[in-house]
Amino acid sequence: MNRISQLFHIQYPIIQAGMIWASGWRLASAVSNAGGLGLLGAGSMYPDVLREHIRQCRQTTNKPFGVNIPLLYPDIQQLIDIVIAEKVPIVFTSAGNPRTWTPVLKAAGITVVHVVSSAFFAAKSEAAGVDAVVAEGFEAGGHNGREETTTMVLIPAVCEQVKIPVIAAGGIASGKAMTAAFALGAEGVQVGSRFVATPEASSHPHFKQAIIDAREGDTMLAMKKLTPVRLLKNAFFQRIKEAEDNGADPEALKVLLGRARAKAGMFEGNLEEGELEIGQVSALIHTLTPAGDIVREIWEEFNETIRRLHQ
């Protein structure tokens, strides 16, 4: 067992990312039951919905699981209160300053991990008292760092800056990619896009099929004047790109974005007008596979790759 396995009390250092509109109790419990760490994605849940998912997850697994909380969430205090009241053992935070809530969560006995996109913010997170960081390269789907640092560069840069364990994310969907991340200094991997293309993910079947159909170049970073996000190209993306190419300001982009755009795309299956957040690695995802099988496949390929490299 390495430091990540020990920190979370899990069999394999494989974490399922807490993604909006994908990461409910069915997915999280399936990953945890297979020996990884499942996360509930609180970013697309009202507080009462999060409480229900925590309770359902606890009923369907006796293994550790956690919750991902975007710190910019409007009802953040309610989410924090719920994870403390429900005695969630692990919280991953993202999209905000870890100094604000880390002491509160740690005081409640919760293991805290923060997601970062640069070595600078990794050092800030360590100083804030987090137990580990997720270093997420800009290949990743969803909201992303403005620096556009790739995973291959980011992981060793973060490992140079911090003493706490580093979890690699961004472009990881296989055991071979996990091997590469460990070679760069990571002690665990966080997998997002691959777990969206599972029967257990709460995303719409049309979105899952779009991921399977995706090819190289079908995703791109957009909306850097607001919050950078990686999207599958569709009619909505093209309008955003044209607006950006024509110098649209943040207010104009907000109008184009509107409300509930991600829900429309990823949860309701509107593939043309929805916001379809997914990573570059979607080009390497070709099948809808049960989450538990993915955990086992990644772990077996990881060990097989290491054996082959040592021959």
Side-chain angles (χ1 to χ4, degrees):
M1 292 181 72
N2 68 4
R3 288 197 293 173
I4 288 299
S5 298
Q6 291 171 345
L7 182 64
F8 301 139
H9 305 289
I10 56 178
Q11 189 174 0
Y12 311 126
I14 299 170
I15 294 99
Q16 162 249 314
M19 304 160 288
I20 63 169
W21 304 116
S23 308
W25 65 267
R26 288 181 179 84
L27 178 58
S29 62
V31 172
S32 290
N33 283 331
L37 179 70
L39 297 180
L40 299 170
S44 53
M45 296 180 184
Y46 290 115
D48 287 344
V49 174
L50 173 61
R51 183 184 289 108
E52 180 61 25
H53 277 265
I54 292 170
R55 292 178 178 178
Q56 289 279 3
C57 204
R58 188 162 279 126
Q59 288 178 8
T60 48
T61 184
N62 59 4
K63 304 288 183 66
F65 67 92
V67 174
N68 176 278
I69 300 179
L71 296 176
L72 299 180
Y73 190 94
D75 295 320
I76 182 69
Q77 179 71 64
Q78 292 183 58
L79 297 185
I80 296 291
D81 289 345
I82 287 168
V83 298
I84 292 173
E86 294 292 329
K87 295 182 169 52
V88 173
I90 300 159
V91 168
F92 279 49
T93 57
S94 58
N97 187 343
R99 286 182 307 191
T100 308
W101 293 105
T102 296
V104 176
L105 294 166
K106 295 285 288 180
I110 295 172
T111 298
V112 182
V113 182
H114 193 63
V115 181
V116 300
S117 59
S118 71
F120 174 80
F121 286 116
K124 290 282 189 183
S125 299
E126 183 175 46
V130 304
D131 297 288
V133 290
V134 175
E136 185 177 74
F138 107 120
E139 300 97 320
H143 293 290
N144 234 302
R146 298 181 184 280
E147 301 86 355
E148 298 193 9
T149 306
T150 63
T151 303
M152 287 286 285
V153 175
L154 180 63
I155 301 309
V158 169
C159 289
E160 284 184 0
Q161 285 294 315
V162 301
K163 294 182 173 62
I164 56 176
V166 175
I167 300 163
I172 299 170
S174 67
K176 291 177 182 177
M178 182 174 174
T179 308
F182 273 55
L184 294 171
E187 295 180 58
V189 292
Q190 178 174 281
V191 177
S193 299
R194 186 69 189 91
F195 283 119
V196 182
T198 60
E200 298 91 344
S202 51
S203 305
H204 196 281
H206 291 171
F207 180 44
K208 296 178 186 182
Q209 188 60 48
I211 295 165
I212 292 168
D213 293 340
R215 297 294 177 263
E216 289 177 67
D218 283 354
T219 73
M220 189 169 286
L221 210 63
M223 292 185 279
K224 286 191 72 174
K225 290 180 181 177
L226 294 175
T227 304
V229 60
R230 180 171 296 282
L231 304 173
L232 269 177
K233 296 174 181 176
N234 63 358
F236 164 69
F237 170 84
Q238 293 300 334
R239 288 203 305 279
I240 288 288
K241 185 177 186 304
E242 288 170 12
E244 290 181 321
D245 289 346
N246 290 324
D249 61 18
E251 288 305 314
L253 293 175
K254 284 181 184 178
V255 171
L256 273 177
L257 179 59
R259 288 182 55 80
R261 185 78 68 171
K263 181 181 182 182
M266 296 186 282
F267 191 67
E268 297 173 351
N270 187 335
L271 298 187
E272 286 307 311
E273 293 302 324
E275 187 177 348
L276 306 177
E277 302 180 12
I278 205 71
Q280 283 184 341
V281 78
S282 54
L284 301 176
I285 298 169
H286 308 307
T287 59
L288 189 75
T289 304
D293 291 351
I294 290 171
V295 173
R296 288 183 284 271
E297 287 172 11
I298 289 174
W299 183 247
E300 289 169 5
E301 186 180 65
F302 170 71
N303 284 289
E304 177 58 34
T305 303
I306 290 174
R307 282 194 295 269
R308 180 170 52 80
L309 291 172
H310 281 86
Q311 286 177 353

